[in-house]
Amino acid sequence: MSNYTKLPAILLLEDGTVYHGKAAGKIGTTTGEICFNTGMTGYQEIFTDPSYFGQIMVTTNAHIGNYGTSEEEIESNQIQIAGLVCKNYSVPFSRKLAKESIQGYFQDGNLVGISDVDTRALVRHIRNKGAMNAIISSEIVDIDILKAKLKEVPSMEGLELSTQVSTKQAYYFGDENARYRVAVLDLGVKKNILRNFYDRDVYVKVFPAKTSFSEMESWAPDGYFISNGPGDPAAMPYALETVKEILKADKPMFGICLGHQLLALANDIRTEKMFNGHRGINHPVKNIIADRCEITSQNHGFGVVADDVRSSDTVEITHINLNDKSIEGIRVKGKKAFSVQYHPESSPGPHDSRYLFDDFAAMLTA
């Protein structure tokens, strides 16, 4: 177990609100957009999800760290969140499968956090005030200095971040003798998405974010997958152009989260920054095509403009969020192209939406 001393730490929000707590992880200072996740398990998957790049995560579950960390539960090659805010930070852990404490994991990953914060009060504040930037420090106690540093942090709106988390070199995943081949445009892809393709006899080649359609097409894939990822979809003209070319070539295409937003933009549907976003593993979504509901895993701070979707001549709605009626899924009329805003590959769960990978695999043979 790593050495751990509960030094004082400060969380300062963009609106001037201050929370005092104890240091968690590496001693230091970090900034980012603050958000919260309502999941009661799967914290390591959250920490390593590239879609959270540049964000300070507030966990609403009271205990973080109690089941340790394991290499099998990471979604990328490193910690992606910019910082952590939690209530009870447990360095001792009690799971046989775990290899390391959360404190050791954070120190190795250079992650700065704060614990012993009233996260229920904090979440209520964020819900009322909306998304905003924040700073955590366990080394600076002067609020004026922290305010000055926080003013330098750019807004998430307008930020292009996928190139910072995407692979630098193309790589393969799965069995090269599999039945299907899918080209994955990596905008921040999660490992469990690749595992779900593997489970359906799909061999994938994962391409860097700025790869052109022609370069991916030279591999002769049966279909294309546009991944999840961080940042503002409207700030990604390179990926938008690729999606448009895939549509023009009439190739099978499946998008998740950021991929969903890009498919919408490619059909002249605007995207927008959400007041709080959706982050958790208990969001109810209705598949209006199949007339059934599913509990979903979600992580997004941007969404598609519902009125644009409803008035579109090129796409139709397939899924809606039962909490706020936001658009959770679309498909392009007359083409083999569809997308969802949520995460059907969800790990540790729920698994209600994994049928979407089956639907895409079926498209590859049609």
Side-chain angles (χ1 to χ4, degrees):
M1 184 185 301
S2 301
N3 293 328
Y4 173 57
T5 303
K6 284 198 169 188
L7 297 175
I10 294 173
L11 167 66
L12 170 67
L13 305 188
E14 193 174 4
D15 66 357
T17 306
V18 177
Y19 292 86
H20 294 273
K22 301 296 183 180
K26 179 186 176 182
I27 301 301
T29 303
T30 189
T31 62
E33 182 184 72
I34 196 163
C35 63
F36 59 89
N37 189 297
T38 59
M40 294 186 68
T41 187
Y43 57 70
Q44 195 174 356
E45 290 89 342
I46 293 170
F47 301 157
T48 57
D49 180 351
S51 294
Y52 283 126
F53 183 79
Q55 294 182 309
I56 291 174
M57 174 55 57
V58 181
T59 50
T60 61
N61 191 34
H63 297 275
I64 297 297
N66 50 311
Y67 60 79
T69 62
S70 169
E71 283 294 316
E72 296 177 359
E73 292 167 3
I74 61 173
E75 290 288 358
S76 65
N77 294 329
Q78 63 185 38
I79 295 172
Q80 301 287 354
I81 59 172
L84 174 72
V85 182
C86 65
K87 174 61 176 173
N88 300 315
Y89 184 71
S90 177
V91 177
F93 59 94
S94 57
R95 186 173 56 140
K96 290 183 179 179
L97 293 177
K99 298 294 189 292
E100 188 177 23
S101 73
I102 192 172
Q103 177 63 15
Y105 186 65
F106 279 175
Q107 286 180 333
D108 292 343
N110 296 314
L111 194 283
V112 175
I114 181 172
S115 68
D116 294 74
V117 171
D118 185 348
T119 51
R120 290 188 298 176
L122 174 57
V123 167
R124 283 196 298 269
H125 184 80
I126 299 170
R127 287 186 65 176
N128 291 334
K129 299 290 186 177
M132 67 183 83
N133 286 332
I135 185 169
I136 299 171
S137 184
S138 48
E139 61 182 356
I140 300 171
V141 296
D142 189 315
I143 299 297
D144 290 333
I145 294 176
L146 293 176
K147 285 182 178 179
K149 287 182 174 292
L150 187 52
K151 283 183 179 179
E152 299 174 0
V153 181
S155 168
M156 186 65 72
E157 192 163 9
L159 279 188
E160 188 285 312
L161 297 176
S162 285
T163 51
Q164 296 189 48
V165 298
S166 177
T167 183
K168 305 305 179 188
Q169 302 290 333
Y171 65 92
Y172 300 92
F173 188 95
D175 180 1
E176 62 180 342
N177 297 313
R179 184 177 181 182
Y180 311 113
R181 290 156 64 108
V182 166
V184 173
L185 187 64
D186 178 16
L187 307 176
V189 72
K190 295 168 66 178
K191 288 188 176 181
N192 210 45
I193 289 174
L194 305 182
R195 296 185 194 109
N196 270 275
F197 282 129
Y198 175 80
D199 291 342
R200 286 155 182 83
D201 204 19
V202 175
Y203 183 49
V204 304
K205 186 174 182 180
V206 183
F207 292 90
K210 288 193 172 181
T211 306
S212 67
F213 168 69
S214 60
E215 183 177 344
M216 290 191 290
E217 182 67 6
S218 67
W219 187 57
D222 299 303
Y224 291 84
F225 176 75
I226 313 301
S227 85
N228 61 293
D232 188 342
M236 304 173 63
Y238 61 90
L240 178 58
E241 180 60 30
T242 300
V243 172
K244 286 182 175 180
E245 291 187 11
I246 296 171
L247 285 173
K248 185 178 179 181
D250 204 18
K251 300 290 184 176
M253 179 168 52
F254 176 27
I256 287 177
C257 202
L258 184 56
H260 166 75
Q261 296 156 10
L262 287 166
L263 181 61
L265 286 169
N267 286 277
D268 298 319
I269 294 166
R270 293 170 295 166
T271 57
E272 60 186 351
K273 186 82 166 65
M274 300 176 73
F275 188 66
N276 273 312
H278 296 156
R279 299 175 181 90
I281 55 176
N282 61 346
H283 290 255
V285 165
K286 183 175 182 180
N287 180 329
I288 62 176
I289 305 299
D291 194 29
R292 70 178 185 185
C293 296
E294 51 205 77
I295 303 301
T296 67
S297 173
Q298 305 223 357
N299 167 20
H300 59 102
F302 290 83
V304 301
V305 176
D307 288 345
D308 285 9
V309 181
R310 294 190 177 96
S311 62
S312 174
D313 294 325
T314 59
V315 307
E316 61 182 330
I317 300 169
T318 59
H319 298 75
I320 58 171
N321 188 299
L322 295 179
N323 284 336
D324 62 7
K325 308 304 179 186
S326 59
I327 307 302
E328 294 280 4
I330 59 174
R331 64 185 181 188
V332 182
K333 297 176 182 179
K335 293 186 180 291
K336 300 174 183 177
F338 71 102
S339 61
V340 290
Q341 181 63 80
Y342 54 96
H343 285 266
E345 83 290 344
S346 57
S347 177
H351 298 163
D352 300 23
S353 308
R354 298 245 172 127
Y355 67 89
L356 290 163
F357 289 97
D358 299 323
D359 291 350
F360 182 53
M363 277 186 177
L364 303 177
T365 60

